[in-house]
Amino acid sequence: MNLENYLERITYSGTLKPDRATLDDLFAAQLATVAFENLDQQMGVPVSGDLRDIYAKIVLQKRGGWCFELNALFSWALQEVGFSVSFLAGHVGPDRPSLDQAPDHMLLRVDCDEPLLVDVGFGGAMSAPVPLRPDTVTQQPYTISLAAQHNGFIQYSENAGGSEAGYWFTLDEVEPSVFLPASKKLQTDPDSPFLRTLTAQRRYASRHVVLRGLVKRTLDSAGTREEVLATPKALVDCLKYDFGLEIPAIANSWPRIKQRHEDLFVS
């Protein structure tokens, strides 16, 4: 594993100091070049939680990944630069989890002048680190809020164009191994959203491009635009040009992806 190769992958040539400016620039660079995606899950390829496998997939094979991959790799890179990083455990959804509920989302805390929530693995609504305190911030086209709740939980929520998503977490530091059960379940449970539909997401400075099923949505300050992909070639081209993912083999999974799209959006 080589930091220079990682920096080349995210096309970053700026300074490397453990300060806020560098953190913001690295965050934006990874978001703009490394997509959130679940193509392996759609093609039936096992997804590893081993950091060296994650590095090979994202840096060498120029792929993207999900939270367990994207935040793990970003944590490694930040620590190589000299940042203080810890893993936090999240629970995706609107309802407060129980204290003994297994987490299903990996996020990061970075202490840099102040405690910061750092998450490059939730699809891309967050375009910069967020102070780890109750607050509401605007990161176009999203409004992002952190709210303190009972039993030490903090609720993260993001909203754009009437669409809201989020998760719950505490400030208890965890080891990466705590996410292995969730990774296995989300790859094998038929009801897993990562199996039920394809997704890819990429975040730019003020624009968010989201592919869910065969519906591509572009969100920016002008609103939301949608396009439905109608052919295997359209899917391959969309992944290549909108998300930087050259995976022609995904066309072989077209019948399954199309059926899952119809189950989600048509039924």
Side-chain angles (χ1 to χ4, degrees):
M1 294 173 59
N2 182 287
L3 183 62
E4 289 185 5
N5 290 342
Y6 166 81
L7 297 174
E8 181 179 354
R9 168 70 174 92
I10 66 170
T11 64
Y12 182 82
S13 59
T15 59
L16 288 176
K17 299 178 181 179
D19 59 23
R20 181 62 187 270
T22 300
L23 175 62
D24 287 352
D25 289 345
L26 288 171
F27 189 104
Q30 177 162 322
L31 278 185
T33 54
V34 181
F36 179 94
E37 50 106 333
N38 69 339
L39 302 184
D40 280 346
Q41 293 91 326
Q42 291 297 301
M43 295 187 292
V45 177
V47 178
S48 173
D50 181 84
L51 183 58
R52 291 188 177 275
D53 292 336
I54 295 170
Y55 174 92
K57 176 180 175 179
I58 296 176
V59 176
L60 304 182
Q61 300 169 26
K62 294 182 169 51
R63 288 285 306 278
W66 59 358
C67 68
F68 307 126
E69 299 168 291
L70 300 177
N71 279 324
L73 182 68
F74 196 52
S75 172
W76 165 79
L78 291 180
Q79 291 179 74
E80 289 289 299
V81 175
F83 287 96
S84 173
V85 185
S86 55
F87 292 96
L88 302 180
H91 306 264
V92 176
D95 300 323
R96 186 178 67 194
S98 61
L99 290 173
D100 59 352
Q101 187 171 327
D104 57 7
H105 180 61
M106 174 191 287
L107 55 144
L108 306 175
R109 168 178 173 160
V110 177
D111 289 288
C112 182
D113 297 331
E114 62 178 330
L116 299 168
L117 172 62
V118 174
D119 191 351
V120 293
F122 196 56
M126 187 185 295
S127 62
V130 173
L132 200 45
R133 61 174 182 267
D135 199 4
T136 298
V137 298
T138 299
Q139 295 183 352
Q140 291 290 350
Y142 286 91
T143 299
I144 293 173
S145 66
L146 293 179
Q149 302 289 356
H150 296 297
N151 295 328
F153 280 107
I154 299 171
Q155 186 177 16
Y156 166 90
S157 62
E158 55 189 41
N159 186 291
S163 178
E164 187 169 357
Y167 53 81
W168 299 67
F169 66 99
T170 72
L171 297 179
D172 296 332
E173 181 178 348
V174 299
E175 294 297 322
S177 59
V178 78
F179 302 104
L180 293 177
S183 176
K184 181 178 180 180
K185 180 179 180 180
L186 290 170
Q187 293 183 65
T188 57
D189 186 343
D191 291 329
S192 165
F194 292 94
L195 294 183
R196 291 179 63 194
T197 187
L198 178 150
T199 189
Q201 303 189 40
R202 196 171 183 183
R203 183 69 153 101
Y204 300 87
S206 59
R207 176 167 56 99
H208 190 195
V209 184
V210 179
L211 178 64
R212 188 164 181 251
L214 298 174
V215 179
K216 186 183 81 170
R217 301 172 68 225
T218 301
L219 296 84
D220 56 25
S221 58
T224 302
R225 298 175 297 284
E226 289 191 354
E227 174 188 351
V228 179
L229 308 180
T231 67
K233 184 179 185 301
L235 173 60
V236 171
D237 288 348
C238 174
L239 291 172
K240 178 179 180 179
Y241 296 112
D242 288 303
F243 301 99
L245 299 167
E246 295 195 48
I247 311 174
I250 194 68
N252 298 329
S253 300
W254 173 261
R256 181 167 60 250
I257 291 170
K258 186 172 185 292
Q259 183 60 57
R260 289 171 173 171
H261 165 84
E262 292 174 352
D263 291 343
L264 183 66
F265 290 98
V266 180
S267 299

